[in-house]
Amino acid sequence: MPCLSTIASKLTTLAHLTQLHSRIIVSSLYNNNFCASLLITHSTRFHAPPSYARCIFDSVPIPNVVLYTNMCSFYLHCAAYYDAISLFVKMRRGGAVSMDAFVYLVVIKAAVEAGEGSVVVHAEVVKLGLGNDRFVRNAVMDGYAKMGKMDGARKVFDEMPERVVADWNAMISGYWKWGYEKEACELFGLMPERNVVSWTVMVTGFSKNGFKEMAMGLFDEMLRDGVMPDETTWVTVMSACSSRGDPSLAKVFVRTINESKIELNFFVRTGLVDMYAKCGNMVEAQRIYQEMPVRDLVSYNTLIAGLAAHGYAKETVDLLSEMEQEGIHPDRLTYIGILTACSHAGLLEEGRRVFRSIETPLIDHYACMVDLLGRVGELEEAVNLVESMPMEPHAGVYGSLLNASRIHKKVEIGELAAEKLFELEPHNSGNYILLSNIYATARRWDDVERIRSLMRSKGVVKSTGWSWVEYDGKLHKFIAGDRSNELSEAIYKLFVELRRKLRVAGYVTDKSCALTDIEDEEKEEMVGVHSEKLAICFALLVCEKGSVIRVVKNLRVCSDCHVSIKMISKLERREIIVRDNNRFHCFKDGICSCDDYW
C-alpha cells in the first residue's frame, strides 16, 4: 500500500491515473477503502469528471469516514456543493460510519458555499461533542462570517477557550467583507500577536473599502514592524497604488520590493505591469512585461488593457497576433481590450476584423463595437448592430450609443438611447447629463429644463466632478469653482494670468460645455473654473519646475479643458498627463496623445 501511494504521487496526468486505476482493478483492490481514497484524492488533483470519482466511490461496498471525507472534498473542490451535502446526509442516515472533525470541516465549507449556512451543521457538531475542536470552531465561525451572520461568528469567537492567529484573522476578514470597518480595526488592535496574513487582511480591507490612504499607511507600518509582505500583500498594495495613479508612490513601492530582495513571481510581475500602466508609465509597464520569463493569458490581458487605456491601438493588435503565435487563446477580456483600443484610435476596419474573428461575441464585445462605430460617425450601422444583437442590450451598449450621439449631435438617436438607459439605470445621473448636453448643443433649452425636472422628480443627483494631484505625499482634491485650498488666492491669480496668455495665443472658450441658457460671458466663467484647470494651476505653483504634472479626474474631460490643457502644455513647457474616467491624455508641446479623438 505505501508503494501505491508513492506511485500515485509521481503521476502527472489524468491518463496516468486511469492506468493506475486499471492496475488496481486487475489486482482486485478496487473495493478497498484505502485504494479508493487514494484514487479520489488524485482525481481532485487532476480535475477528473465528477462521474469518474463517484464511480470509484461507489465501487466500495462499505465506505469508511476517510473515503466519505475525500469524496466530499472532491465535490467541494469542483464546486458541486449540493452533492457534497447530499453525500454527507447519506453518511449520517447510514449510521454505520463514526463521524470525525475532518468531514465536518468539509461539509461546513460546502454548506456555506451553497448558501445553506452553517447553523444546522454547527448544531450537529455541538451535539456530537466536536464543538471544542479548534479547526471545527474556526470553520463554523468562518461559515457564519461568510454568510454575513457576524453576530453568530462573534459568539463562536468569544466562546473559544483558546484563540490562534487564524481565528482572529478569519473574524477580521468577515468584518471587512460586510463593511464593519470599525469592528475590524478594534479587533486588529486587540490581537495579542499578528502574522503576515493579519496585516494583509487589514491592508486588503482598507483598500477594497475605498480607504486607499489608510491601506498605504498600514502597509508602511507593517514594514516598520519588520513583517515581510507576502504575494497577496504585494498585489493588494499595487492595486491601491494603481487606483491613485501616483507614479511617485509606485516608485516607493518598487524600491521597497527591491530592498526586500524578494523574487518577483508571476503574480507580482503582472501586478507591476498593471500598476505602471494605471500610473501612466507604459514604458515601465512594457519593460516589466518583456522581462517576464513566462507569459500567460492574464499577463497579456493586463498589458493589452493598459495599452488600450493609453490609446496604443496598433500595439494591442500586434499583441493579439503574438498571443495567437504562442498558442494562447484570447478570452472575453482580450477582445474587450483590443476593441477598446480600436475605438480610442478610430481604427474601424481593424475593429471590424477583430469583431468578426470572435467565434461567439458576448454582450460586452457588442458594446465595444457599438462604441467604435459611433465614435467614427457610423451611427446607422451602430443602431442596426444593436437591433440585430442575439441578446438583450445592457446599459453599456446604449451608453455607447448615447455618447456617440453627443459627439455627432444626433438628437433622435440620443433620445432613443437615453429612453432605454432611463429604464435600465433610472438613478445614473450621467445619462441624464449626456442627453441634456445633446439638447444644449442643439439649443433646445426647454428640453434641457425638462431633463433637469425629470432628475429632480426621480431624486437623481448629479455626480460631482473632481480632479486631484499628488504633492508632498498628499492628495490635493479640487471641484469646479473650488476655493477651499490654502493656496486658493495664488491659484486663481495664476489662473487669470494663464487665461490671458491663452487668449493672446488664440484660445477661444468652447461655450457649448456650459449647458445653460445664459449669457456668453457667464458661460465662459462657468467653463473656465473646471476642476482640472484648478488642479493644474496648483501643480504649476508647487511642483518642481519642468516636472511632469499628473492629474486624475473622475469624469470625462470636456472639450474646452482639453483645448486649454494642450495650449498650457506648450505655453508652460510642461508635460501634463490627465487620467479621466475613460483613458489617459498625455499633453506635450500643444499636442495630446489622443490626437483629439476621445
Side-chain angles (χ1 to χ4, degrees):
M1 293 298 183
C3 181
L4 202 60
S5 297
T6 303
I7 294 171
S9 67
K10 295 180 179 180
L11 301 178
T12 57
T13 66
L14 180 60
H16 293 158
L17 181 67
T18 57
Q19 291 175 12
L20 178 62
H21 188 188
S22 299
R23 294 293 300 272
I24 288 173
I25 292 173
V26 170
S27 303
S28 298
L29 294 172
Y30 61 89
N31 59 356
N32 178 281
N33 269 290
F34 174 83
C35 293
S37 292
L38 184 72
L39 289 170
I40 290 173
T41 296
H42 290 281
S43 294
T44 303
R45 181 160 69 98
F46 295 124
H47 307 286
S51 57
Y52 177 72
R54 187 57 189 254
C55 178
I56 297 171
F57 177 85
D58 289 339
S59 67
V60 179
I62 306 177
N64 62 15
V65 67
V66 175
L67 183 56
Y68 268 109
T69 302
N70 282 349
M71 191 65 218
C72 286
S73 294
F74 175 89
Y75 281 138
L76 178 65
H77 184 78
C78 64
Y81 308 122
Y82 285 102
D83 288 328
I85 295 169
S86 176
L87 187 64
F88 172 75
V89 171
K90 176 183 177 182
M91 178 184 178
R92 288 289 295 120
R93 286 175 179 169
V97 180
S98 59
M99 301 290 182
D100 65 10
F102 296 106
V103 71
Y104 277 104
L105 288 173
V106 175
V107 175
I108 289 170
K109 291 179 181 178
V112 172
E113 295 296 339
E116 297 296 323
S118 57
V119 178
V120 175
V121 183
H122 184 197
E124 182 77 13
V125 165
V126 173
K127 181 180 175 182
L128 290 173
L130 296 170
N132 288 326
D133 184 278
R134 179 165 62 84
F135 297 103
V136 172
R137 276 183 173 272
N138 184 277
V140 170
M141 180 187 66
D142 189 50
Y144 276 121
K146 285 181 177 177
M147 294 295 293
K149 299 177 180 180
M150 295 310 299
D151 289 341
R154 187 57 186 260
K155 187 173 186 296
V156 174
F157 178 81
D158 289 339
E159 291 176 353
M160 288 180 172
E162 293 182 11
R163 304 184 192 99
V164 295
V165 177
D167 300 323
W168 291 82
N169 293 342
M171 193 67 210
I172 292 171
S173 179
Y175 276 138
W176 274 120
K177 180 179 180 180
W178 298 101
Y180 296 98
E181 61 265 15
K182 180 182 176 182
E183 289 80 357
C185 292
E186 287 178 350
L187 207 59
F188 183 73
L190 294 172
M191 290 186 73
E193 61 175 309
R194 300 164 182 163
N195 59 14
V196 64
V197 177
S198 313
W199 289 94
T200 301
V201 166
M202 288 298 293
V203 171
T204 304
F206 278 126
S207 181
K208 288 187 175 180
N209 284 272
F211 305 106
K212 305 296 182 182
E213 298 299 313
M214 298 292 288
M216 296 305 300
L218 194 65
F219 177 69
D220 289 338
E221 185 181 338
M222 174 183 179
L223 295 176
R224 288 196 300 271
D225 277 17
V227 180
M228 175 59 66
D230 64 7
E231 175 185 297
T232 305
T233 322
W234 291 121
V235 173
T236 298
V237 176
M238 281 189 282
S239 175
C241 289
S242 300
S243 66
R244 282 182 52 168
D246 181 359
S248 62
L249 195 61
K251 285 181 181 178
V252 172
F253 176 72
V254 172
R255 186 172 67 244
T256 303
I257 288 181
N258 293 334
E259 290 173 354
S260 302
K261 296 181 180 179
I262 66 164
E263 184 176 346
L264 297 182
N265 61 28
F266 171 80
F267 296 103
V268 175
R269 287 179 186 272
T270 303
L272 284 171
V273 173
D274 181 62
M275 180 184 71
Y276 275 122
K278 288 178 178 175
C279 289
N281 191 340
M282 284 309 301
V283 173
E284 280 300 300
Q286 289 176 289
R287 182 186 67 79
I288 296 292
Y289 169 82
Q290 292 295 340
E291 291 177 355
M292 294 178 73
V294 178
R295 302 176 194 130
D296 72 349
L297 181 61
V298 176
S299 54
Y300 271 106
N301 284 350
T302 301
L303 185 60
I304 285 172
L307 290 168
H310 286 262
Y312 298 125
K314 182 181 181 303
E315 288 82 352
T316 59
V317 175
D318 289 344
L319 272 180
L320 179 61
S321 300
E322 184 182 313
M323 284 178 67
E324 292 168 343
Q325 289 173 5
E326 292 192 14
I328 299 174
H329 188 69
D331 69 354
R332 167 182 161 272
L333 294 176
T334 313
Y335 287 120
I336 288 175
I338 301 291
L339 291 172
T340 298
C342 290
S343 181
H344 284 169
L347 299 183
L348 179 57
E349 291 308 316
E350 193 64 53
R352 281 176 171 152
R353 184 188 68 78
V354 172
F355 184 75
R356 286 194 296 266
S357 73
I358 305 175
E359 188 174 337
T360 306
L362 301 175
I363 192 166
D364 290 331
H365 302 139
Y366 278 97
C368 291
M369 197 62 203
V370 169
D371 187 60
L372 170 56
L373 290 167
R375 284 175 183 271
V376 299
E378 299 289 344
L379 269 77
E380 287 188 14
E381 185 179 344
V383 171
N384 291 335
L385 183 62
V386 173
E387 292 175 346
S388 66
M389 286 174 61
M391 71 285 287
E392 193 68 26
H394 62 23
V397 175
Y398 288 116
S400 296
L401 203 56
L402 180 61
N403 188 51
S405 302
R406 177 196 60 79
I407 294 170
H408 298 286
K409 302 177 176 61
K410 298 292 184 180
V411 178
E412 290 185 7
I413 296 177
E415 289 176 326
L416 170 70
E419 183 181 345
K420 294 291 186 180
L421 286 167
F422 293 165
E423 293 175 8
L424 295 169
E425 299 177 328
H427 297 290
N428 184 343
S429 64
N431 299 326
Y432 296 88
I433 299 302
L434 270 179
L435 182 59
S436 179
N437 191 331
I438 293 170
Y439 283 141
T441 303
R443 303 189 68 80
R444 289 170 53 171
W445 304 115
D446 289 344
D447 286 318
V448 171
E449 183 55 38
R450 178 174 60 81
I451 295 300
R452 288 181 174 176
S453 297
L454 181 62
M455 290 177 69
R456 286 193 292 269
S457 65
K458 290 187 175 183
V460 179
V461 179
K462 179 183 176 182
S463 299
T464 302
W466 51 257
S467 300
W468 57 254
V469 292
E470 189 275 337
Y471 172 69
D472 197 25
K474 296 179 181 178
L475 298 181
H476 298 265
K477 190 172 181 178
F478 298 86
I479 60 174
D482 196 352
R483 291 184 179 271
S484 61
N485 192 280
E486 59 184 13
L487 296 178
S488 283
E489 186 176 340
I491 290 171
Y492 276 86
K493 185 177 179 180
L494 176 58
F495 170 74
V496 170
E497 176 60 21
L498 276 178
R499 190 157 62 176
R500 185 191 65 78
K501 288 182 180 179
L502 289 171
R503 284 173 177 165
V504 170
Y507 162 75
V508 177
T509 304
D510 183 356
K511 302 180 186 68
S512 67
C513 298
L515 308 180
T516 313
D517 186 18
I518 55 177
E519 295 300 321
D520 282 355
E521 188 175 330
E522 293 178 83
K523 286 185 178 181
E524 185 170 349
E525 188 63 30
M526 287 178 63
V527 173
V529 290
H530 279 182
S531 63
E532 53 266 58
K533 291 177 182 173
L534 297 177
I536 290 170
C537 286
F538 170 80
L540 287 169
L541 284 171
V542 301
C543 294
E544 185 180 344
K545 189 173 182 179
S547 63
V548 177
I549 294 173
R550 299 176 188 270
V551 178
V552 176
K553 182 175 173 63
N554 69 325
L555 302 177
R556 179 184 178 275
V557 63
C558 76
S559 57
D560 181 77
C561 287
H562 195 268
V563 172
S564 300
I565 300 170
K566 281 199 303 179
M567 297 182 72
I568 291 171
S569 71
K570 185 174 184 178
L571 291 170
E572 299 299 310
R573 299 180 181 179
R574 298 291 282 272
E575 182 178 352
I576 303 172
I577 298 176
V578 178
R579 187 179 100 183
D580 67 9
N581 68 342
N582 189 41
R583 60 167 296 158
F584 279 87
H585 298 266
C586 180
F587 301 91
K588 189 175 182 179
D589 297 326
I591 299 172
C592 180
S593 59
C594 74
D595 289 329
D596 299 336
Y597 188 87
W598 86 106

